[in-house]
Coordinates of all heavy atoms in Angstrom, one line a residue:
M1 N 0.8 -1.2 0.0 CA 0.0 0.0 0.0 C 0.9 1.2 0.0 O 1.8 1.3 0.8 CB -0.9 0.0 1.2 CG -1.7 1.3 1.4 SD -2.5 1.3 3.0 CE -4.1 1.7 2.4
N2 N 0.6 2.2 -0.9 CA 1.3 3.4 -0.9 C 0.6 4.4 0.1 O -0.5 4.9 -0.2 CB 1.2 4.0 -2.3 CG 1.9 5.4 -2.5 OD1 2.6 5.8 -1.6 ND2 1.7 6.0 -3.6
V3 N 1.3 4.7 1.2 CA 0.7 5.5 2.2 C 1.0 7.0 2.1 O 0.4 7.8 2.8 CB 1.1 5.0 3.6 CG1 0.7 3.6 3.9 CG2 2.6 5.2 3.8
E4 N 1.9 7.3 1.1 CA 2.2 8.7 0.9 C 1.0 9.6 0.7 O 0.9 10.7 1.3 CB 3.3 8.9 -0.1 CG 4.6 8.4 0.4 CD 5.8 8.6 -0.5 OE1 5.7 9.6 -1.3 OE2 6.8 7.9 -0.4
P5 N 0.1 9.2 -0.2 CA -1.1 10.1 -0.4 C -1.9 10.3 0.9 O -2.5 11.4 1.2 CB -1.9 9.4 -1.5 CG -0.9 8.6 -2.2 CD 0.1 8.1 -1.2
I6 N -2.0 9.2 1.7 CA -2.7 9.3 3.0 C -2.0 10.3 3.9 O -2.7 11.2 4.6 CB -2.9 7.9 3.6 CG1 -3.7 7.0 2.8 CG2 -3.5 8.0 5.0 CD1 -3.6 5.6 3.1
V7 N -0.7 10.2 4.0 CA 0.0 11.1 4.9 C -0.1 12.5 4.4 O -0.2 13.5 5.1 CB 1.5 10.6 5.0 CG1 2.4 11.6 5.7 CG2 1.6 9.3 5.7
L8 N 0.0 12.7 3.0 CA -0.1 14.1 2.5 C -1.5 14.6 2.8 O -1.6 15.8 3.1 CB 0.1 14.1 1.0 CG 1.6 14.2 0.6 CD1 1.7 14.0 -0.9 CD2 2.0 15.6 0.9
A9 N -2.5 13.8 2.7 CA -3.9 14.3 3.1 C -3.9 14.7 4.5 O -4.5 15.8 4.9 CB -4.9 13.2 2.8
M10 N -3.3 14.0 5.4 CA -3.3 14.3 6.8 C -2.5 15.6 7.0 O -2.9 16.5 7.8 CB -2.6 13.2 7.7 CG -2.6 13.5 9.1 SD -1.2 12.8 10.0 CE 0.2 13.5 9.1
V11 N -1.3 15.8 6.4 CA -0.5 17.0 6.4 C -1.3 18.2 5.9 O -1.3 19.2 6.6 CB 0.8 16.8 5.7 CG1 1.5 18.2 5.5 CG2 1.7 15.8 6.3
S12 N -2.1 18.0 4.9 CA -2.9 19.1 4.3 C -4.0 19.5 5.3 O -4.2 20.7 5.5 CB -3.6 18.6 3.0 OG -2.6 18.4 2.0
A13 N -4.6 18.5 6.0 CA -5.6 18.9 7.0 C -4.9 19.6 8.2 O -5.5 20.6 8.7 CB -6.2 17.6 7.5
M14 N -3.7 19.2 8.6 CA -3.0 19.9 9.7 C -2.7 21.3 9.3 O -2.9 22.2 10.1 CB -1.7 19.1 10.1 CG -2.0 17.7 10.7 SD -0.5 16.8 10.9 CE 0.1 17.5 12.4
M15 N -2.2 21.5 8.1 CA -1.9 22.8 7.6 C -3.1 23.7 7.5 O -3.0 24.9 7.9 CB -1.1 22.7 6.3 CG 0.2 22.1 6.4 SD 1.1 22.0 4.8 CE 1.6 23.7 4.6
L16 N -4.2 23.1 7.1 CA -5.4 23.9 7.0 C -5.9 24.4 8.4 O -6.2 25.6 8.6 CB -6.6 23.0 6.4 CG -7.9 23.7 6.4 CD1 -8.0 24.7 5.3 CD2 -9.0 22.6 6.3
L17 N -5.8 23.5 9.4 CA -6.2 23.9 10.7 C -5.2 24.9 11.3 O -5.6 25.8 12.1 CB -6.3 22.7 11.6 CG -7.4 21.7 11.2 CD1 -7.3 20.4 12.1 CD2 -8.7 22.3 11.4
D18 N -3.9 24.8 10.9 CA -2.9 25.8 11.4 C -3.1 27.2 10.7 O -2.9 28.2 11.4 CB -1.5 25.3 11.0 CG -0.9 24.4 12.1 OD1 -1.4 24.4 13.2 OD2 0.1 23.8 11.7
D19 N -3.5 27.2 9.5 CA -3.4 28.4 8.7 C -4.7 29.2 8.5 O -4.7 30.2 7.9 CB -2.8 28.1 7.3 CG -1.4 27.7 7.4 OD1 -0.7 28.0 8.4 OD2 -0.9 27.0 6.5
T20 N -5.8 28.6 9.0 CA -7.1 29.3 8.7 C -7.3 30.4 9.8 O -6.9 30.3 10.9 CB -8.3 28.3 8.7 OG1 -8.3 27.6 9.9 CG2 -8.2 27.4 7.5
S21 N -8.1 31.4 9.4 CA -8.4 32.4 10.4 C -9.6 32.1 11.2 O -10.3 31.1 11.0 CB -8.7 33.7 9.6 OG -9.9 33.6 8.9
A22 N -9.8 32.8 12.3 CA -10.9 32.6 13.2 C -12.3 32.8 12.5 O -13.3 32.2 12.9 CB -10.9 33.5 14.4
E23 N -12.3 33.5 11.4 CA -13.5 33.7 10.6 C -13.8 32.5 9.8 O -15.0 32.2 9.5 CB -13.4 35.0 9.7 CG -13.4 36.3 10.5 CD -12.0 36.6 11.0 OE1 -11.0 36.2 10.4 OE2 -11.9 37.2 12.1
E24 N -12.8 31.7 9.4 CA -13.0 30.6 8.6 C -13.3 29.3 9.4 O -14.2 28.6 9.1 CB -11.7 30.3 7.8 CG -11.4 31.4 6.8 CD -10.1 31.2 6.1 OE1 -9.1 31.1 6.8 OE2 -10.0 31.3 4.9
I25 N -12.6 29.1 10.5 CA -12.8 28.0 11.4 C -12.6 28.4 12.8 O -11.6 29.1 13.1 CB -11.8 26.8 11.1 CG1 -12.0 26.2 9.7 CG2 -12.0 25.7 12.2 CD1 -11.0 25.2 9.4
D26 N -13.6 28.1 13.7 CA -13.5 28.5 15.1 C -12.1 27.9 15.6 O -11.8 26.7 15.4 CB -14.6 27.8 15.9 CG -14.6 28.2 17.3 OD1 -13.8 27.6 18.0 OD2 -15.4 29.0 17.7
P27 N -11.3 28.8 16.3 CA -10.0 28.3 16.8 C -10.1 27.1 17.7 O -9.2 26.3 17.7 CB -9.5 29.6 17.5 CG -10.1 30.7 16.8 CD -11.5 30.2 16.5
D28 N -11.1 27.1 18.5 CA -11.2 25.9 19.4 C -11.5 24.6 18.7 O -11.0 23.6 19.0 CB -12.4 26.2 20.4 CG -12.1 27.3 21.4 OD1 -10.9 27.5 21.7 OD2 -13.1 27.9 21.9
V29 N -12.2 24.7 17.6 CA -12.5 23.6 16.7 C -11.2 23.1 16.0 O -10.9 21.9 16.0 CB -13.6 23.8 15.7 CG1 -13.7 22.7 14.7 CG2 -14.9 24.1 16.4
A30 N -10.4 24.1 15.5 CA -9.1 23.8 14.9 C -8.2 23.1 15.9 O -7.6 22.1 15.5 CB -8.5 25.1 14.3
V31 N -8.1 23.6 17.1 CA -7.2 23.0 18.0 C -7.7 21.6 18.4 O -6.9 20.7 18.5 CB -7.1 23.9 19.3 CG1 -6.4 23.2 20.5 CG2 -6.3 25.2 19.0
R32 N -8.9 21.5 18.6 CA -9.5 20.1 18.9 C -9.2 19.1 17.8 O -8.8 18.0 18.0 CB -11.0 20.2 19.2 CG -11.5 19.0 19.9 CD -12.9 19.2 20.4 NE -13.9 19.8 19.5 CZ -14.4 21.0 19.7 NH1 -14.1 21.7 20.8 NH2 -15.3 21.5 18.9
G33 N -9.3 19.6 16.5 CA -9.0 18.7 15.4 C -7.5 18.3 15.4 O -7.2 17.1 15.2
Q34 N -6.6 19.3 15.7 CA -5.2 18.9 15.7 C -4.9 18.0 16.9 O -4.1 17.1 16.8 CB -4.4 20.2 15.8 CG -4.4 21.0 14.5 CD -3.7 22.3 14.7 OE1 -3.9 23.0 15.7 NE2 -2.9 22.7 13.7
E35 N -5.5 18.3 18.0 CA -5.3 17.4 19.2 C -5.7 16.0 18.9 O -5.1 15.0 19.3 CB -6.0 18.0 20.4 CG -5.3 19.2 21.0 CD -6.1 19.9 22.1 OE1 -7.3 19.6 22.3 OE2 -5.5 20.7 22.8
N36 N -6.9 15.8 18.2 CA -7.4 14.5 17.9 C -6.4 13.8 17.0 O -6.1 12.6 17.2 CB -8.7 14.6 17.3 CG -9.8 14.9 18.2 OD1 -9.7 14.7 19.4 ND2 -10.9 15.4 17.8
M37 N -5.9 14.5 15.9 CA -4.9 13.9 15.1 C -3.6 13.5 15.8 O -3.1 12.4 15.7 CB -4.5 14.8 13.9 CG -5.5 14.9 12.8 SD -4.9 15.8 11.4 CE -5.7 17.3 11.7
G38 N -3.2 14.4 16.7 CA -2.0 14.0 17.5 C -2.2 12.9 18.4 O -1.4 12.0 18.6
Y39 N -3.4 12.8 19.0 CA -3.7 11.7 19.9 C -3.6 10.3 19.2 O -2.9 9.4 19.7 CB -5.2 11.8 20.5 CG -5.6 10.6 21.2 CD1 -5.2 10.4 22.5 CD2 -6.4 9.7 20.6 CE1 -5.6 9.3 23.2 CE2 -6.9 8.5 21.3 CZ -6.4 8.3 22.6 OH -6.8 7.2 23.3
Y40 N -4.2 10.3 18.0 CA -4.2 9.0 17.3 C -2.8 8.7 16.7 O -2.3 7.5 16.8 CB -5.2 9.0 16.1 CG -6.6 8.9 16.7 CD1 -7.5 9.9 16.6 CD2 -7.0 7.7 17.3 CE1 -8.8 9.8 17.1 CE2 -8.3 7.6 17.9 CZ -9.2 8.7 17.8 OH -10.4 8.6 18.3
L41 N -2.0 9.7 16.3 CA -0.7 9.4 15.8 C 0.2 9.0 17.0 O 1.1 8.2 16.8 CB -0.1 10.7 15.2 CG -0.7 11.0 13.8 CD1 -0.3 12.4 13.3 CD2 -0.4 9.9 12.8
N42 N 0.0 9.5 18.2 CA 0.7 9.1 19.4 C 0.4 7.6 19.8 O 1.2 7.1 20.6 CB 0.6 10.1 20.5 CG 1.4 11.3 20.3 OD1 2.6 11.2 19.9 ND2 0.9 12.4 20.6
L43 N -0.6 7.0 19.2 CA -0.9 5.6 19.5 C 0.0 4.7 18.7 O 0.0 3.5 19.0 CB -2.3 5.3 19.2 CG -3.4 6.0 20.1 CD1 -4.8 5.6 19.7 CD2 -3.2 5.6 21.6
L44 N 0.7 5.2 17.7 CA 1.6 4.4 16.9 C 2.7 3.8 17.8 O 3.2 4.4 18.7 CB 2.3 5.2 15.8 CG 1.4 5.8 14.7 CD1 2.2 6.8 13.9 CD2 0.8 4.6 13.9
S45 N 3.0 2.5 17.5 CA 4.1 1.9 18.1 C 5.4 2.5 17.7 O 5.5 3.3 16.8 CB 4.2 0.4 17.7 OG 4.6 0.3 16.4
E46 N 6.5 2.3 18.4 CA 7.8 2.9 18.1 C 8.2 2.5 16.7 O 8.7 3.4 15.9 CB 8.9 2.5 19.1 CG 10.1 3.3 19.1 CD 9.8 4.8 19.3 OE1 9.0 5.2 20.2 OE2 10.4 5.7 18.6
G47 N 8.0 1.3 16.3 CA 8.3 0.9 14.9 C 7.5 1.6 13.9 O 8.0 2.0 12.8
D48 N 6.2 1.8 14.2 CA 5.3 2.5 13.2 C 5.7 4.0 13.2 O 5.6 4.6 12.2 CB 3.9 2.3 13.6 CG 3.4 0.9 13.3 OD1 4.0 0.2 12.5 OD2 2.3 0.5 13.9
R49 N 6.1 4.5 14.3 CA 6.6 5.9 14.3 C 7.8 6.1 13.4 O 7.9 7.1 12.7 CB 7.0 6.4 15.8 CG 5.8 6.6 16.6 CD 6.2 7.1 18.0 NE 5.0 7.2 18.9 CZ 5.0 7.9 20.0 NH1 6.0 8.5 20.4 NH2 3.9 7.9 20.7
T50 N 8.7 5.1 13.5 CA 9.9 5.2 12.7 C 9.5 5.1 11.2 O 10.0 5.9 10.4 CB 10.9 4.0 13.0 OG1 11.3 4.2 14.4 CG2 12.1 4.0 12.1
A51 N 8.6 4.2 10.9 CA 8.1 4.1 9.5 C 7.4 5.4 9.0 O 7.6 5.9 7.9 CB 7.2 2.9 9.3
F52 N 6.6 6.0 9.9 CA 5.9 7.2 9.7 C 6.9 8.4 9.4 O 6.8 9.1 8.5 CB 5.0 7.6 10.8 CG 4.1 8.8 10.6 CD1 3.1 8.8 9.7 CD2 4.4 10.0 11.4 CE1 2.4 10.0 9.5 CE2 3.6 11.1 11.2 CZ 2.6 11.1 10.2
R53 N 8.0 8.4 10.2 CA 9.0 9.5 10.0 C 9.7 9.3 8.7 O 10.0 10.3 8.0 CB 10.1 9.3 11.1 CG 9.7 9.8 12.5 CD 10.9 9.4 13.4 NE 10.6 9.6 14.8 CZ 10.9 10.6 15.5 NH1 11.5 11.7 14.9 NH2 10.6 10.7 16.8
E54 N 9.9 8.0 8.3 CA 10.5 7.8 7.0 C 9.7 8.3 5.8 O 10.2 8.9 4.9 CB 10.9 6.3 6.8 CG 12.0 5.8 7.8 CD 12.1 4.3 7.8 OE1 11.4 3.6 7.2 OE2 13.1 3.9 8.5
V55 N 8.4 8.0 6.0 CA 7.4 8.5 4.9 C 7.4 10.1 4.9 O 7.5 10.7 3.8 CB 6.0 8.0 5.2 CG1 5.0 8.7 4.2 CG2 6.0 6.5 5.0
L56 N 7.4 10.7 6.1 CA 7.5 12.1 6.2 C 8.7 12.7 5.5 O 8.7 13.7 4.7 CB 7.4 12.6 7.6 CG 6.1 12.5 8.3 CD1 6.2 12.9 9.8 CD2 5.0 13.3 7.7
E57 N 9.8 12.0 5.8 CA 11.1 12.5 5.2 C 11.1 12.3 3.7 O 11.6 13.2 3.0 CB 12.3 11.7 5.8 CG 13.6 12.4 5.6 CD 13.7 13.8 6.1 OE1 13.2 14.1 7.2 OE2 14.4 14.6 5.4
R58 N 10.6 11.2 3.2 CA 10.5 11.0 1.7 C 9.7 12.1 1.1 O 10.0 12.7 0.0 CB 9.9 9.7 1.4 CG 10.9 8.5 1.4 CD 10.4 7.3 0.6 NE 9.0 6.9 1.0 CZ 8.7 6.0 2.0 NH1 9.7 5.5 2.7 NH2 7.5 5.7 2.2
I59 N 8.5 12.4 1.7 CA 7.6 13.5 1.2 C 8.3 14.8 1.2 O 8.3 15.6 0.3 CB 6.3 13.5 1.9 CG1 5.5 12.2 1.6 CG2 5.5 14.7 1.5 CD1 4.3 12.0 2.5
A60 N 9.0 15.1 2.3 CA 9.6 16.4 2.5 C 10.7 16.5 1.4 O 10.9 17.6 0.8 CB 10.2 16.5 3.9
D61 N 11.5 15.5 1.2 CA 12.6 15.5 0.2 C 12.0 15.7 -1.2 O 12.6 16.5 -2.0 CB 13.4 14.2 0.2 CG 14.3 14.1 1.4 OD1 14.5 15.1 2.2 OD2 14.8 12.9 1.7
A62 N 10.9 15.1 -1.5 CA 10.3 15.2 -2.8 C 9.8 16.7 -3.0 O 9.7 17.1 -4.2 CB 9.1 14.2 -2.9
H63 N 9.4 17.4 -2.0 CA 8.8 18.7 -2.1 C 9.8 19.8 -1.8 O 9.5 21.0 -2.0 CB 7.6 18.9 -1.2 CG 6.4 18.1 -1.7 ND1 6.3 16.8 -1.4 CD2 5.4 18.4 -2.5 CE1 5.2 16.3 -2.0 NE2 4.6 17.3 -2.7
A64 N 11.0 19.5 -1.4 CA 12.0 20.5 -0.9 C 12.3 21.6 -1.9 O 12.4 22.8 -1.6 CB 13.2 19.8 -0.4
A65 N 12.5 21.2 -3.1 CA 12.9 22.1 -4.2 C 11.8 23.0 -4.6 O 12.0 24.2 -4.7 CB 13.5 21.4 -5.4
Q66 N 10.6 22.5 -4.8 CA 9.5 23.3 -5.2 C 8.7 24.0 -4.2 O 8.1 25.0 -4.4 CB 8.5 22.4 -6.1 CG 7.8 21.3 -5.2 CD 7.2 20.2 -6.0 OE1 7.7 19.9 -7.0 NE2 6.1 19.7 -5.5
D67 N 8.7 23.5 -2.9 CA 8.0 24.1 -1.8 C 8.7 23.9 -0.5 O 8.4 23.1 0.3 CB 6.6 23.5 -1.8 CG 5.6 24.4 -0.9 OD1 6.1 25.2 -0.1 OD2 4.4 24.2 -1.0
P68 N 9.8 24.7 -0.3 CA 10.6 24.5 0.9 C 9.8 24.7 2.2 O 10.1 24.1 3.2 CB 11.7 25.6 0.8 CG 11.7 26.1 -0.6 CD 10.3 25.7 -1.2
A69 N 8.8 25.6 2.2 CA 8.0 25.8 3.4 C 7.2 24.5 3.7 O 7.1 24.1 4.9 CB 7.0 27.0 3.2
L70 N 6.7 23.8 2.7 CA 5.9 22.6 3.0 C 6.9 21.5 3.5 O 6.6 20.8 4.5 CB 5.3 22.1 1.7 CG 4.6 20.7 1.7 CD1 3.5 20.7 2.8 CD2 4.1 20.3 0.4
A71 N 8.1 21.4 2.9 CA 9.1 20.4 3.4 C 9.4 20.7 4.8 O 9.5 19.8 5.6 CB 10.3 20.5 2.5
S72 N 9.6 22.0 5.2 CA 10.0 22.3 6.6 C 8.8 22.0 7.5 O 9.0 21.4 8.6 CB 10.3 23.8 6.6 OG 10.6 24.2 7.9
Y73 N 7.6 22.3 7.1 CA 6.4 21.9 7.9 C 6.4 20.4 8.2 O 6.2 20.0 9.3 CB 5.1 22.4 7.2 CG 3.9 22.2 8.1 CD1 3.5 23.2 9.0 CD2 3.2 21.0 8.0 CE1 2.4 23.0 9.7 CE2 2.0 20.8 8.8 CZ 1.6 21.8 9.6 OH 0.5 21.6 10.4
I74 N 6.6 19.6 7.1 CA 6.5 18.2 7.2 C 7.6 17.7 8.1 O 7.3 16.8 9.0 CB 6.6 17.5 5.8 CG1 5.3 17.9 5.0 CG2 6.8 16.0 5.9 CD1 5.4 17.5 3.5
R75 N 8.8 18.2 8.0 CA 9.9 17.7 8.9 C 9.6 18.1 10.3 O 10.2 17.5 11.2 CB 11.2 18.3 8.4 CG 11.7 17.7 7.1 CD 13.1 18.1 6.8 NE 13.5 17.3 5.6 CZ 13.6 17.8 4.4 NH1 13.3 19.1 4.1 NH2 14.0 17.0 3.4
G76 N 8.8 19.1 10.6 CA 8.5 19.5 12.0 C 7.4 18.7 12.6 O 7.2 18.9 13.8
I77 N 6.7 17.9 11.9 CA 5.6 17.2 12.5 C 6.0 16.3 13.7 O 5.3 16.3 14.7 CB 4.8 16.4 11.4 CG1 4.1 17.4 10.5 CG2 3.9 15.3 12.0 CD1 3.4 16.7 9.3
P78 N 7.1 15.5 13.6 CA 7.4 14.7 14.8 C 7.7 15.6 16.0 O 7.3 15.2 17.1 CB 8.7 14.0 14.3 CG 8.6 13.9 12.9 CD 7.9 15.2 12.4
F79 N 8.3 16.8 15.8 CA 8.5 17.7 16.9 C 7.2 18.1 17.5 O 6.9 18.2 18.7 CB 9.3 18.9 16.5 CG 9.5 19.9 17.6 CD1 10.3 19.7 18.6 CD2 8.7 21.1 17.5 CE1 10.4 20.7 19.6 CE2 8.9 22.1 18.4 CZ 9.7 21.9 19.5
S80 N 6.2 18.5 16.6 CA 4.9 19.0 17.1 C 4.1 17.9 17.8 O 3.3 18.2 18.6 CB 4.1 19.6 15.9 OG 3.7 18.5 15.0
L81 N 4.5 16.7 17.5 CA 3.8 15.5 18.2 C 4.5 15.2 19.6 O 4.1 14.3 20.3 CB 3.8 14.3 17.3 CG 2.9 14.4 16.1 CD1 3.2 13.3 15.2 CD2 1.4 14.4 16.5
G82 N 5.6 15.9 19.8 CA 6.4 15.6 21.0 C 7.3 14.4 20.9 O 7.8 13.9 21.9
W83 N 7.6 14.0 19.7 CA 8.5 12.8 19.5 C 9.9 13.3 19.5 O 10.8 12.4 19.7 CB 8.2 12.1 18.2 CG 6.8 11.5 18.1 CD1 5.9 11.5 19.1 CD2 6.2 10.9 16.9 NE1 4.7 10.8 18.6 CE2 4.9 10.5 17.3 CE3 6.7 10.7 15.7 CZ2 4.1 9.9 16.4 CZ3 5.8 10.1 14.8 CH2 4.5 9.7 15.1
D84 N 10.2 14.5 19.2 CA 11.6 15.0 19.2 C 11.7 16.1 20.2 O 10.7 16.9 20.4 CB 11.9 15.6 17.8 CG 12.0 14.6 16.7 OD1 12.2 13.4 17.0 OD2 11.8 14.9 15.5
E85 N 12.9 16.3 20.8 CA 13.0 17.3 21.8 C 13.3 18.7 21.2 O 13.1 19.7 21.8 CB 14.2 16.9 22.7 CG 13.8 15.7 23.5 CD 14.6 15.5 24.8 OE1 15.2 16.5 25.2 OE2 14.5 14.4 25.3
E86 N 13.8 18.7 19.9 CA 14.1 20.0 19.3 C 13.6 20.0 17.9 O 13.6 18.9 17.2 CB 15.6 20.2 19.2 CG 16.2 20.4 20.6 CD 17.7 20.8 20.5 OE1 18.1 21.4 19.5 OE2 18.4 20.5 21.4
P87 N 13.1 21.1 17.4 CA 12.6 21.1 16.0 C 13.8 20.9 15.0 O 14.9 21.2 15.4 CB 12.0 22.5 15.8 CG 12.7 23.4 16.9 CD 13.0 22.4 18.0
P88 N 13.5 20.4 13.8 CA 14.6 20.1 12.9 C 15.2 21.5 12.4 O 14.5 22.5 12.3 CB 13.9 19.4 11.8 CG 12.5 19.8 11.9 CD 12.2 20.0 13.3
T89 N 16.4 21.4 12.0 CA 17.1 22.6 11.4 C 16.8 22.5 9.9 O 17.1 21.5 9.3 CB 18.6 22.6 11.7 OG1 18.7 22.6 13.1 CG2 19.2 23.8 11.2
D90 N 16.3 23.6 9.3 CA 16.0 23.6 7.9 C 17.3 23.8 7.2 O 17.9 24.8 7.3 CB 15.0 24.7 7.6 CG 14.5 24.6 6.2 OD1 14.8 23.6 5.5 OD2 13.8 25.5 5.7
L91 N 17.7 22.7 6.5 CA 19.0 22.8 5.8 C 18.8 23.1 4.3 O 19.8 23.2 3.6 CB 19.7 21.4 5.9 CG 20.0 20.9 7.3 CD1 20.6 19.5 7.3 CD2 20.9 21.9 8.0
S92 N 17.6 23.4 3.8 CA 17.4 23.6 2.4 C 17.6 25.1 2.1 O 17.8 25.9 2.9 CB 16.0 23.2 2.0 OG 15.0 23.6 2.9

């Protein structure tokens, strides 16, 4: 199964909730949506987290040249989930 489109859909939803204004989506609803996504992602086993990170890195690498902001956002997801102690340094 190719999970990259599924992960990209999730990333798109996360970005939508991050980037919309209070007039577009109630901020409490946006935060609740992000918390729900984080909750379920935090249920992944350590092995699945590693596999998920690898998919994120592949997607970020594929988008780095054309959309560095997207690549940086994707690389920051493990940090936003509390899996990393420091955010990644953007090397692009």
Side-chain angles (χ1 to χ4, degrees):
M1 171 189 233
N2 178 12
V3 298
E4 288 185 25
I6 296 167
V7 173
L8 272 170
M10 183 213 58
V11 168
S12 294
M14 292 173 82
M15 291 179 76
L16 174 78
L17 294 172
D18 273 345
D19 294 337
T20 55
S21 69
E23 292 80 32
E24 295 171 309
I25 296 177
D26 180 285
D28 292 333
V29 172
V31 168
R32 194 167 47 248
Q34 290 176 316
E35 288 173 346
N36 287 339
M37 281 191 261
Y39 171 80
Y40 288 112
L41 289 169
N42 280 318
L43 294 177
L44 292 171
S45 69
E46 196 58 43
D48 288 340
R49 286 182 187 196
T50 298
F52 182 70
R53 286 174 192 266
E54 291 169 358
V55 172
L56 290 174
E57 195 59 38
R58 276 197 313 269
I59 293 170
D61 288 347
H63 289 86
Q66 66 197 32
D67 194 345
L70 174 61
S72 179
Y73 185 90
I74 291 169
R75 287 188 175 104
I77 289 173
F79 173 75
S80 69
L81 292 168
W83 297 355
D84 294 335
E85 298 203 13
E86 295 186 28
T89 303
D90 190 7
L91 302 175
S92 46

